[in-house]
Amino acid sequence: DRERLSQMFDQAPSFMSVLREPGHIIELANSSYLQLVGDRELIGRPLEEALPEVAQQGFVDILDNVVATGSPFRGENLKVRLQRSADGPSENRILDFVFQPIADAEGRVAAGFVEGIDVTERERRADALRESEVRFRMLANSLPALVWINDADGQVIFASQAFGTMLGVNAADLQEKGWGCIVHPDDMAAFVK
């Protein structure tokens, strides 16, 4: 069972490590953790010494607080600068993770469990999508034509500014109230088909 748990720990897609207390000594680190921080000598070393750039960003202070209070720390979309190779440049990564205290039989924090995922690429894609949406809205609003987007139910989710200019209804009202703002009630049934 221990061997199987060890394999599962190492093959987990999220990065994980166990830090022995006192001193945040890295006891275990799975493959995903090593991939994230680069190929370094970690096991048996204090976090502050093994990953000095992490310590400089205040994460050792956070761990100290987790150990002192026994309360976990959850970080979402936290920017972390990592130097993944000895002579390489620092990289900015975005991480979701938890520092979870592990208590001994007497209730003292004897270790810390670190688990998380690198969400850098997800956040880059989200940023690119937001930027693309801003460009689309600027383009659509600059056209002297009616431009709109409906969802599958026919609800207006975007309407260009031309609706206000040409039809006297602003885009926000069209999105909120629907096509009834500009389509005569007698024509609505045929319009929504």
PDB file of all heavy atoms in Angstrom, residues 118-153:
ATOM      1  N   ASP A 118      -0.388  24.751 -11.492  1.00  0.00           N
ATOM      2  CA  ASP A 118       0.136  25.898 -12.225  1.00  0.00           C
ATOM      3  C   ASP A 118      -0.943  26.309 -13.224  1.00  0.00           C
ATOM      4  O   ASP A 118      -1.266  25.549 -14.136  1.00  0.00           O
ATOM      5  CB  ASP A 118       1.435  25.499 -12.935  1.00  0.00           C
ATOM      6  CG  ASP A 118       2.092  26.649 -13.674  1.00  0.00           C
ATOM      7  OD1 ASP A 118       1.448  27.683 -13.894  1.00  0.00           O
ATOM      8  OD2 ASP A 118       3.269  26.494 -14.055  1.00  0.00           O
ATOM      9  N   VAL A 119      -1.528  27.477 -13.025  1.00  0.00           N
ATOM     10  CA  VAL A 119      -2.627  27.935 -13.880  1.00  0.00           C
ATOM     11  C   VAL A 119      -2.170  29.036 -14.838  1.00  0.00           C
ATOM     12  O   VAL A 119      -2.998  29.752 -15.405  1.00  0.00           O
ATOM     13  CB  VAL A 119      -3.835  28.402 -13.029  1.00  0.00           C
ATOM     14  CG1 VAL A 119      -4.424  27.250 -12.238  1.00  0.00           C
ATOM     15  CG2 VAL A 119      -3.462  29.559 -12.114  1.00  0.00           C
ATOM     16  N   THR A 120      -0.862  29.133 -15.045  1.00  0.00           N
ATOM     17  CA  THR A 120      -0.312  30.205 -15.880  1.00  0.00           C
ATOM     18  C   THR A 120      -0.916  30.207 -17.271  1.00  0.00           C
ATOM     19  O   THR A 120      -1.378  31.260 -17.752  1.00  0.00           O
ATOM     20  CB  THR A 120       1.221  30.078 -15.963  1.00  0.00           C
ATOM     21  OG1 THR A 120       1.752  30.024 -14.641  1.00  0.00           O
ATOM     22  CG2 THR A 120       1.826  31.232 -16.726  1.00  0.00           C
ATOM     23  N   GLU A 121      -0.930  29.056 -17.925  1.00  0.00           N
ATOM     24  CA  GLU A 121      -1.444  29.007 -19.302  1.00  0.00           C
ATOM     25  C   GLU A 121      -2.937  29.296 -19.345  1.00  0.00           C
ATOM     26  O   GLU A 121      -3.410  29.987 -20.252  1.00  0.00           O
ATOM     27  CB  GLU A 121      -1.118  27.660 -19.946  1.00  0.00           C
ATOM     28  CG  GLU A 121       0.370  27.426 -20.136  1.00  0.00           C
ATOM     29  CD  GLU A 121       1.089  28.585 -20.822  1.00  0.00           C
ATOM     30  OE1 GLU A 121       0.575  29.097 -21.843  1.00  0.00           O
ATOM     31  OE2 GLU A 121       2.161  28.995 -20.335  1.00  0.00           O
ATOM     32  N   ARG A 122      -3.681  28.810 -18.369  1.00  0.00           N
ATOM     33  CA  ARG A 122      -5.117  29.090 -18.313  1.00  0.00           C
ATOM     34  C   ARG A 122      -5.355  30.593 -18.198  1.00  0.00           C
ATOM     35  O   ARG A 122      -6.217  31.165 -18.878  1.00  0.00           O
ATOM     36  CB  ARG A 122      -5.739  28.359 -17.119  1.00  0.00           C
ATOM     37  CG  ARG A 122      -7.233  28.622 -16.965  1.00  0.00           C
ATOM     38  CD  ARG A 122      -7.787  28.052 -15.678  1.00  0.00           C
ATOM     39  NE  ARG A 122      -7.399  28.905 -14.560  1.00  0.00           N
ATOM     40  CZ  ARG A 122      -7.536  28.582 -13.293  1.00  0.00           C
ATOM     41  NH1 ARG A 122      -8.017  27.408 -12.952  1.00  0.00           N
ATOM     42  NH2 ARG A 122      -7.179  29.417 -12.341  1.00  0.00           N
ATOM     43  N   GLU A 123      -4.579  31.260 -17.343  1.00  0.00           N
ATOM     44  CA  GLU A 123      -4.739  32.697 -17.157  1.00  0.00           C
ATOM     45  C   GLU A 123      -4.307  33.474 -18.392  1.00  0.00           C
ATOM     46  O   GLU A 123      -4.925  34.490 -18.734  1.00  0.00           O
ATOM     47  CB  GLU A 123      -3.985  33.162 -15.919  1.00  0.00           C
ATOM     48  CG  GLU A 123      -4.603  32.667 -14.621  1.00  0.00           C
ATOM     49  CD  GLU A 123      -6.059  33.085 -14.476  1.00  0.00           C
ATOM     50  OE1 GLU A 123      -6.376  34.278 -14.642  1.00  0.00           O
ATOM     51  OE2 GLU A 123      -6.889  32.203 -14.203  1.00  0.00           O
ATOM     52  N   ARG A 124      -3.272  32.996 -19.079  1.00  0.00           N
ATOM     53  CA  ARG A 124      -2.856  33.661 -20.326  1.00  0.00           C
ATOM     54  C   ARG A 124      -3.950  33.556 -21.382  1.00  0.00           C
ATOM     55  O   ARG A 124      -4.228  34.515 -22.111  1.00  0.00           O
ATOM     56  CB  ARG A 124      -1.544  33.056 -20.837  1.00  0.00           C
ATOM     57  CG  ARG A 124      -0.351  33.488 -20.035  1.00  0.00           C
ATOM     58  CD  ARG A 124       0.934  32.899 -20.575  1.00  0.00           C
ATOM     59  NE  ARG A 124       2.043  33.303 -19.721  1.00  0.00           N
ATOM     60  CZ  ARG A 124       3.172  32.642 -19.617  1.00  0.00           C
ATOM     61  NH1 ARG A 124       3.380  31.547 -20.322  1.00  0.00           N
ATOM     62  NH2 ARG A 124       4.128  33.072 -18.817  1.00  0.00           N
ATOM     63  N   ARG A 125      -4.572  32.374 -21.472  1.00  0.00           N
ATOM     64  CA  ARG A 125      -5.675  32.211 -22.432  1.00  0.00           C
ATOM     65  C   ARG A 125      -6.851  33.105 -22.054  1.00  0.00           C
ATOM     66  O   ARG A 125      -7.483  33.716 -22.925  1.00  0.00           O
ATOM     67  CB  ARG A 125      -6.110  30.746 -22.505  1.00  0.00           C
ATOM     68  CG  ARG A 125      -5.132  29.852 -23.248  1.00  0.00           C
ATOM     69  CD  ARG A 125      -5.704  28.470 -23.515  1.00  0.00           C
ATOM     70  NE  ARG A 125      -6.102  27.755 -22.321  1.00  0.00           N
ATOM     71  CZ  ARG A 125      -5.317  26.981 -21.593  1.00  0.00           C
ATOM     72  NH1 ARG A 125      -4.062  26.798 -21.951  1.00  0.00           N
ATOM     73  NH2 ARG A 125      -5.782  26.362 -20.525  1.00  0.00           N
ATOM     74  N   ALA A 126      -7.156  33.196 -20.768  1.00  0.00           N
ATOM     75  CA  ALA A 126      -8.259  34.056 -20.319  1.00  0.00           C
ATOM     76  C   ALA A 126      -7.957  35.520 -20.627  1.00  0.00           C
ATOM     77  O   ALA A 126      -8.845  36.260 -21.066  1.00  0.00           O
ATOM     78  CB  ALA A 126      -8.513  33.857 -18.830  1.00  0.00           C
ATOM     79  N   ASP A 127      -6.711  35.946 -20.423  1.00  0.00           N
ATOM     80  CA  ASP A 127      -6.318  37.321 -20.747  1.00  0.00           C
ATOM     81  C   ASP A 127      -6.458  37.580 -22.239  1.00  0.00           C
ATOM     82  O   ASP A 127      -6.942  38.635 -22.659  1.00  0.00           O
ATOM     83  CB  ASP A 127      -4.878  37.604 -20.310  1.00  0.00           C
ATOM     84  CG  ASP A 127      -4.728  37.749 -18.805  1.00  0.00           C
ATOM     85  OD1 ASP A 127      -5.756  37.903 -18.104  1.00  0.00           O
ATOM     86  OD2 ASP A 127      -3.580  37.693 -18.324  1.00  0.00           O
ATOM     87  N   ALA A 128      -6.019  36.613 -23.059  1.00  0.00           N
ATOM     88  CA  ALA A 128      -6.123  36.760 -24.514  1.00  0.00           C
ATOM     89  C   ALA A 128      -7.583  36.843 -24.941  1.00  0.00           C
ATOM     90  O   ALA A 128      -7.937  37.640 -25.826  1.00  0.00           O
ATOM     91  CB  ALA A 128      -5.417  35.602 -25.217  1.00  0.00           C
ATOM     92  N   LEU A 129      -8.438  36.048 -24.314  1.00  0.00           N
ATOM     93  CA  LEU A 129      -9.865  36.085 -24.644  1.00  0.00           C
ATOM     94  C   LEU A 129     -10.471  37.434 -24.265  1.00  0.00           C
ATOM     95  O   LEU A 129     -11.232  38.019 -25.038  1.00  0.00           O
ATOM     96  CB  LEU A 129     -10.599  34.950 -23.922  1.00  0.00           C
ATOM     97  CG  LEU A 129     -12.089  34.832 -24.193  1.00  0.00           C
ATOM     98  CD1 LEU A 129     -12.362  34.591 -25.676  1.00  0.00           C
ATOM     99  CD2 LEU A 129     -12.684  33.713 -23.351  1.00  0.00           C
ATOM    100  N   ARG A 130     -10.117  37.945 -23.085  1.00  0.00           N
ATOM    101  CA  ARG A 130     -10.624  39.270 -22.668  1.00  0.00           C
ATOM    102  C   ARG A 130     -10.158  40.355 -23.642  1.00  0.00           C
ATOM    103  O   ARG A 130     -10.929  41.233 -24.032  1.00  0.00           O
ATOM    104  CB  ARG A 130     -10.173  39.590 -21.249  1.00  0.00           C
ATOM    105  CG  ARG A 130     -10.979  38.898 -20.163  1.00  0.00           C
ATOM    106  CD  ARG A 130     -10.620  39.389 -18.784  1.00  0.00           C
ATOM    107  NE  ARG A 130      -9.330  38.922 -18.338  1.00  0.00           N
ATOM    108  CZ  ARG A 130      -9.110  37.768 -17.718  1.00  0.00           C
ATOM    109  NH1 ARG A 130     -10.120  36.962 -17.454  1.00  0.00           N
ATOM    110  NH2 ARG A 130      -7.902  37.423 -17.347  1.00  0.00           N
ATOM    111  N   GLU A 131      -8.895  40.281 -24.042  1.00  0.00           N
ATOM    112  CA  GLU A 131      -8.358  41.268 -24.984  1.00  0.00           C
ATOM    113  C   GLU A 131      -9.071  41.170 -26.329  1.00  0.00           C
ATOM    114  O   GLU A 131      -9.412  42.190 -26.943  1.00  0.00           O
ATOM    115  CB  GLU A 131      -6.856  41.022 -25.158  1.00  0.00           C
ATOM    116  CG  GLU A 131      -6.167  42.049 -26.011  1.00  0.00           C
ATOM    117  CD  GLU A 131      -4.675  41.776 -26.103  1.00  0.00           C
ATOM    118  OE1 GLU A 131      -4.036  41.550 -25.056  1.00  0.00           O
ATOM    119  OE2 GLU A 131      -4.158  41.794 -27.239  1.00  0.00           O
ATOM    120  N   SER A 132      -9.334  39.964 -26.781  1.00  0.00           N
ATOM    121  CA  SER A 132     -10.037  39.761 -28.038  1.00  0.00           C
ATOM    122  C   SER A 132     -11.456  40.316 -27.959  1.00  0.00           C
ATOM    123  O   SER A 132     -11.948  40.940 -28.899  1.00  0.00           O
ATOM    124  CB  SER A 132     -10.073  38.267 -28.366  1.00  0.00           C
ATOM    125  OG  SER A 132     -10.831  38.032 -29.518  1.00  0.00           O
ATOM    126  N   GLU A 133     -12.120  40.112 -26.825  1.00  0.00           N
ATOM    127  CA  GLU A 133     -13.476  40.625 -26.651  1.00  0.00           C
ATOM    128  C   GLU A 133     -13.490  42.149 -26.668  1.00  0.00           C
ATOM    129  O   GLU A 133     -14.370  42.767 -27.263  1.00  0.00           O
ATOM    130  CB  GLU A 133     -14.088  40.103 -25.352  1.00  0.00           C
ATOM    131  CG  GLU A 133     -15.527  40.525 -25.211  1.00  0.00           C
ATOM    132  CD  GLU A 133     -16.219  39.890 -24.027  1.00  0.00           C
ATOM    133  OE1 GLU A 133     -15.846  38.776 -23.624  1.00  0.00           O
ATOM    134  OE2 GLU A 133     -17.144  40.539 -23.508  1.00  0.00           O
ATOM    135  N   VAL A 134     -12.501  42.773 -26.053  1.00  0.00           N
ATOM    136  CA  VAL A 134     -12.408  44.238 -26.059  1.00  0.00           C
ATOM    137  C   VAL A 134     -12.236  44.736 -27.497  1.00  0.00           C
ATOM    138  O   VAL A 134     -12.905  45.694 -27.917  1.00  0.00           O
ATOM    139  CB  VAL A 134     -11.251  44.721 -25.149  1.00  0.00           C
ATOM    140  CG1 VAL A 134     -10.918  46.182 -25.402  1.00  0.00           C
ATOM    141  CG2 VAL A 134     -11.599  44.497 -23.686  1.00  0.00           C
ATOM    142  N   ARG A 135     -11.359  44.072 -28.262  1.00  0.00           N
ATOM    143  CA  ARG A 135     -11.160  44.479 -29.666  1.00  0.00           C
ATOM    144  C   ARG A 135     -12.444  44.312 -30.468  1.00  0.00           C
ATOM    145  O   ARG A 135     -12.806  45.171 -31.276  1.00  0.00           O
ATOM    146  CB  ARG A 135     -10.023  43.673 -30.296  1.00  0.00           C
ATOM    147  CG  ARG A 135      -8.651  44.135 -29.875  1.00  0.00           C
ATOM    148  CD  ARG A 135      -7.549  43.556 -30.762  1.00  0.00           C
ATOM    149  NE  ARG A 135      -7.630  42.123 -30.933  1.00  0.00           N
ATOM    150  CZ  ARG A 135      -6.983  41.221 -30.189  1.00  0.00           C
ATOM    151  NH1 ARG A 135      -6.200  41.615 -29.221  1.00  0.00           N
ATOM    152  NH2 ARG A 135      -7.110  39.938 -30.433  1.00  0.00           N
ATOM    153  N   PHE A 136     -13.149  43.184 -30.258  1.00  0.00           N
ATOM    154  CA  PHE A 136     -14.406  42.962 -30.973  1.00  0.00           C
ATOM    155  C   PHE A 136     -15.410  44.070 -30.652  1.00  0.00           C
ATOM    156  O   PHE A 136     -16.045  44.620 -31.549  1.00  0.00           O
ATOM    157  CB  PHE A 136     -15.007  41.595 -30.612  1.00  0.00           C
ATOM    158  CG  PHE A 136     -16.454  41.487 -30.999  1.00  0.00           C
ATOM    159  CD1 PHE A 136     -16.814  41.292 -32.322  1.00  0.00           C
ATOM    160  CD2 PHE A 136     -17.458  41.638 -30.053  1.00  0.00           C
ATOM    161  CE1 PHE A 136     -18.150  41.231 -32.695  1.00  0.00           C
ATOM    162  CE2 PHE A 136     -18.797  41.584 -30.412  1.00  0.00           C
ATOM    163  CZ  PHE A 136     -19.145  41.375 -31.739  1.00  0.00           C
ATOM    164  N   ARG A 137     -15.572  44.388 -29.373  1.00  0.00           N
ATOM    165  CA  ARG A 137     -16.546  45.405 -28.979  1.00  0.00           C
ATOM    166  C   ARG A 137     -16.189  46.769 -29.585  1.00  0.00           C
ATOM    167  O   ARG A 137     -17.072  47.501 -30.038  1.00  0.00           O
ATOM    168  CB  ARG A 137     -16.650  45.501 -27.459  1.00  0.00           C
ATOM    169  CG  ARG A 137     -17.364  44.322 -26.847  1.00  0.00           C
ATOM    170  CD  ARG A 137     -17.360  44.375 -25.323  1.00  0.00           C
ATOM    171  NE  ARG A 137     -17.965  43.205 -24.755  1.00  0.00           N
ATOM    172  CZ  ARG A 137     -19.259  43.057 -24.512  1.00  0.00           C
ATOM    173  NH1 ARG A 137     -20.088  44.034 -24.772  1.00  0.00           N
ATOM    174  NH2 ARG A 137     -19.726  41.938 -24.009  1.00  0.00           N
ATOM    175  N   MET A 138     -14.900  47.090 -29.579  1.00  0.00           N
ATOM    176  CA  MET A 138     -14.478  48.368 -30.166  1.00  0.00           C
ATOM    177  C   MET A 138     -14.797  48.395 -31.656  1.00  0.00           C
ATOM    178  O   MET A 138     -15.314  49.392 -32.173  1.00  0.00           O
ATOM    179  CB  MET A 138     -12.986  48.599 -29.916  1.00  0.00           C
ATOM    180  CG  MET A 138     -12.674  48.963 -28.480  1.00  0.00           C
ATOM    181  SD  MET A 138     -10.912  49.104 -28.114  1.00  0.00           S
ATOM    182  CE  MET A 138     -10.332  50.177 -29.388  1.00  0.00           C
ATOM    183  N   LEU A 139     -14.508  47.307 -32.361  1.00  0.00           N
ATOM    184  CA  LEU A 139     -14.781  47.229 -33.790  1.00  0.00           C
ATOM    185  C   LEU A 139     -16.286  47.304 -34.053  1.00  0.00           C
ATOM    186  O   LEU A 139     -16.739  48.090 -34.888  1.00  0.00           O
ATOM    187  CB  LEU A 139     -14.200  45.931 -34.375  1.00  0.00           C
ATOM    188  CG  LEU A 139     -14.542  45.654 -35.830  1.00  0.00           C
ATOM    189  CD1 LEU A 139     -13.903  46.709 -36.736  1.00  0.00           C
ATOM    190  CD2 LEU A 139     -14.090  44.270 -36.233  1.00  0.00           C
ATOM    191  N   ALA A 140     -17.049  46.475 -33.343  1.00  0.00           N
ATOM    192  CA  ALA A 140     -18.501  46.443 -33.556  1.00  0.00           C
ATOM    193  C   ALA A 140     -19.133  47.805 -33.271  1.00  0.00           C
ATOM    194  O   ALA A 140     -20.036  48.239 -33.989  1.00  0.00           O
ATOM    195  CB  ALA A 140     -19.134  45.370 -32.676  1.00  0.00           C
ATOM    196  N   ASN A 141     -18.657  48.474 -32.225  1.00  0.00           N
ATOM    197  CA  ASN A 141     -19.222  49.772 -31.874  1.00  0.00           C
ATOM    198  C   ASN A 141     -18.799  50.876 -32.832  1.00  0.00           C
ATOM    199  O   ASN A 141     -19.426  51.935 -32.877  1.00  0.00           O
ATOM    200  CB  ASN A 141     -18.875  50.146 -30.434  1.00  0.00           C
ATOM    201  CG  ASN A 141     -19.720  49.369 -29.451  1.00  0.00           C
ATOM    202  OD1 ASN A 141     -20.877  49.077 -29.712  1.00  0.00           O
ATOM    203  ND2 ASN A 141     -19.133  49.029 -28.315  1.00  0.00           N
ATOM    204  N   SER A 142     -17.754  50.647 -33.595  1.00  0.00           N
ATOM    205  CA  SER A 142     -17.318  51.669 -34.554  1.00  0.00           C
ATOM    206  C   SER A 142     -18.028  51.538 -35.901  1.00  0.00           C
ATOM    207  O   SER A 142     -17.956  52.445 -36.727  1.00  0.00           O
ATOM    208  CB  SER A 142     -15.795  51.584 -34.759  1.00  0.00           C
ATOM    209  OG  SER A 142     -15.459  50.405 -35.468  1.00  0.00           O
ATOM    210  N   LEU A 143     -18.712  50.445 -36.125  1.00  0.00           N
ATOM    211  CA  LEU A 143     -19.408  50.229 -37.405  1.00  0.00           C
ATOM    212  C   LEU A 143     -20.736  50.975 -37.445  1.00  0.00           C
ATOM    213  O   LEU A 143     -21.443  51.037 -36.432  1.00  0.00           O
ATOM    214  CB  LEU A 143     -19.667  48.736 -37.613  1.00  0.00           C
ATOM    215  CG  LEU A 143     -18.439  47.845 -37.765  1.00  0.00           C
ATOM    216  CD1 LEU A 143     -18.850  46.383 -37.775  1.00  0.00           C
ATOM    217  CD2 LEU A 143     -17.679  48.203 -39.023  1.00  0.00           C
ATOM    218  N   PRO A 144     -21.111  51.496 -38.620  1.00  0.00           N
ATOM    219  CA  PRO A 144     -22.409  52.172 -38.751  1.00  0.00           C
ATOM    220  C   PRO A 144     -23.518  51.171 -39.083  1.00  0.00           C
ATOM    221  O   PRO A 144     -24.409  51.437 -39.877  1.00  0.00           O
ATOM    222  CB  PRO A 144     -22.176  53.144 -39.909  1.00  0.00           C
ATOM    223  CG  PRO A 144     -21.186  52.423 -40.768  1.00  0.00           C
ATOM    224  CD  PRO A 144     -20.294  51.650 -39.818  1.00  0.00           C
ATOM    225  N   ALA A 145     -23.442  49.972 -38.490  1.00  0.00           N
ATOM    226  CA  ALA A 145     -24.424  48.917 -38.753  1.00  0.00           C
ATOM    227  C   ALA A 145     -24.852  48.306 -37.426  1.00  0.00           C
ATOM    228  O   ALA A 145     -24.151  48.406 -36.425  1.00  0.00           O
ATOM    229  CB  ALA A 145     -23.799  47.843 -39.643  1.00  0.00           C
ATOM    230  N   LEU A 146     -26.004  47.660 -37.451  1.00  0.00           N
ATOM    231  CA  LEU A 146     -26.490  46.977 -36.255  1.00  0.00           C
ATOM    232  C   LEU A 146     -25.730  45.659 -36.118  1.00  0.00           C
ATOM    233  O   LEU A 146     -25.775  44.814 -37.000  1.00  0.00           O
ATOM    234  CB  LEU A 146     -27.993  46.712 -36.350  1.00  0.00           C
ATOM    235  CG  LEU A 146     -28.881  47.938 -36.550  1.00  0.00           C
ATOM    236  CD1 LEU A 146     -30.330  47.518 -36.699  1.00  0.00           C
ATOM    237  CD2 LEU A 146     -28.721  48.914 -35.402  1.00  0.00           C
ATOM    238  N   VAL A 147     -25.039  45.489 -35.015  1.00  0.00           N
ATOM    239  CA  VAL A 147     -24.303  44.254 -34.737  1.00  0.00           C
ATOM    240  C   VAL A 147     -24.777  43.744 -33.381  1.00  0.00           C
ATOM    241  O   VAL A 147     -24.819  44.503 -32.411  1.00  0.00           O
ATOM    242  CB  VAL A 147     -22.776  44.508 -34.693  1.00  0.00           C
ATOM    243  CG1 VAL A 147     -22.026  43.222 -34.364  1.00  0.00           C
ATOM    244  CG2 VAL A 147     -22.285  45.110 -36.005  1.00  0.00           C
ATOM    245  N   TRP A 148     -25.171  42.466 -33.342  1.00  0.00           N
ATOM    246  CA  TRP A 148     -25.610  41.893 -32.076  1.00  0.00           C
ATOM    247  C   TRP A 148     -25.229  40.423 -32.006  1.00  0.00           C
ATOM    248  O   TRP A 148     -24.949  39.789 -33.019  1.00  0.00           O
ATOM    249  CB  TRP A 148     -27.101  42.077 -31.850  1.00  0.00           C
ATOM    250  CG  TRP A 148     -27.975  41.225 -32.728  1.00  0.00           C
ATOM    251  CD1 TRP A 148     -28.467  39.988 -32.452  1.00  0.00           C
ATOM    252  CD2 TRP A 148     -28.443  41.558 -34.029  1.00  0.00           C
ATOM    253  NE1 TRP A 148     -29.212  39.521 -33.496  1.00  0.00           N
ATOM    254  CE2 TRP A 148     -29.210  40.473 -34.493  1.00  0.00           C
ATOM    255  CE3 TRP A 148     -28.287  42.670 -34.865  1.00  0.00           C
ATOM    256  CZ2 TRP A 148     -29.828  40.461 -35.731  1.00  0.00           C
ATOM    257  CZ3 TRP A 148     -28.900  42.657 -36.092  1.00  0.00           C
ATOM    258  CH2 TRP A 148     -29.659  41.564 -36.515  1.00  0.00           C
ATOM    259  N   ILE A 149     -25.255  39.911 -30.780  1.00  0.00           N
ATOM    260  CA  ILE A 149     -25.020  38.487 -30.538  1.00  0.00           C
ATOM    261  C   ILE A 149     -26.139  38.005 -29.628  1.00  0.00           C
ATOM    262  O   ILE A 149     -26.443  38.640 -28.619  1.00  0.00           O
ATOM    263  CB  ILE A 149     -23.659  38.232 -29.852  1.00  0.00           C
ATOM    264  CG1 ILE A 149     -22.510  38.730 -30.728  1.00  0.00           C
ATOM    265  CG2 ILE A 149     -23.476  36.746 -29.548  1.00  0.00           C
ATOM    266  CD1 ILE A 149     -21.153  38.677 -30.024  1.00  0.00           C
ATOM    267  N   ASN A 150     -26.746  36.888 -30.018  1.00  0.00           N
ATOM    268  CA  ASN A 150     -27.765  36.227 -29.199  1.00  0.00           C
ATOM    269  C   ASN A 150     -27.176  34.964 -28.608  1.00  0.00           C
ATOM    270  O   ASN A 150     -26.291  34.348 -29.204  1.00  0.00           O
ATOM    271  CB  ASN A 150     -28.945  35.766 -30.059  1.00  0.00           C
ATOM    272  CG  ASN A 150     -29.857  36.869 -30.475  1.00  0.00           C
ATOM    273  OD1 ASN A 150     -29.660  38.019 -30.133  1.00  0.00           O
ATOM    274  ND2 ASN A 150     -30.866  36.505 -31.233  1.00  0.00           N
ATOM    275  N   ASP A 151     -27.729  34.524 -27.468  1.00  0.00           N
ATOM    276  CA  ASP A 151     -27.403  33.182 -26.990  1.00  0.00           C
ATOM    277  C   ASP A 151     -28.374  32.207 -27.652  1.00  0.00           C
ATOM    278  O   ASP A 151     -29.205  32.600 -28.481  1.00  0.00           O
ATOM    279  CB  ASP A 151     -27.417  33.101 -25.464  1.00  0.00           C
ATOM    280  CG  ASP A 151     -28.781  33.361 -24.845  1.00  0.00           C
ATOM    281  OD1 ASP A 151     -29.804  33.353 -25.564  1.00  0.00           O
ATOM    282  OD2 ASP A 151     -28.834  33.548 -23.620  1.00  0.00           O
ATOM    283  N   ALA A 152     -28.299  30.943 -27.322  1.00  0.00           N
ATOM    284  CA  ALA A 152     -29.127  29.917 -27.960  1.00  0.00           C
ATOM    285  C   ALA A 152     -30.620  30.135 -27.721  1.00  0.00           C
ATOM    286  O   ALA A 152     -31.454  29.683 -28.507  1.00  0.00           O
ATOM    287  CB  ALA A 152     -28.714  28.532 -27.469  1.00  0.00           C
ATOM    288  N   ASP A 153     -30.982  30.831 -26.649  1.00  0.00           N
ATOM    289  CA  ASP A 153     -32.391  31.084 -26.340  1.00  0.00           C
ATOM    290  C   ASP A 153     -32.911  32.372 -26.965  1.00  0.00           C
ATOM    291  O   ASP A 153     -34.052  32.759 -26.721  1.00  0.00           O
ATOM    292  CB  ASP A 153     -32.581  31.149 -24.817  1.00  0.00           C
ATOM    293  CG  ASP A 153     -32.258  29.829 -24.145  1.00  0.00           C
ATOM    294  OD1 ASP A 153     -32.526  28.772 -24.751  1.00  0.00           O
ATOM    295  OD2 ASP A 153     -31.730  29.865 -23.016  1.00  0.00           O
TER     296      ASP A 153
END
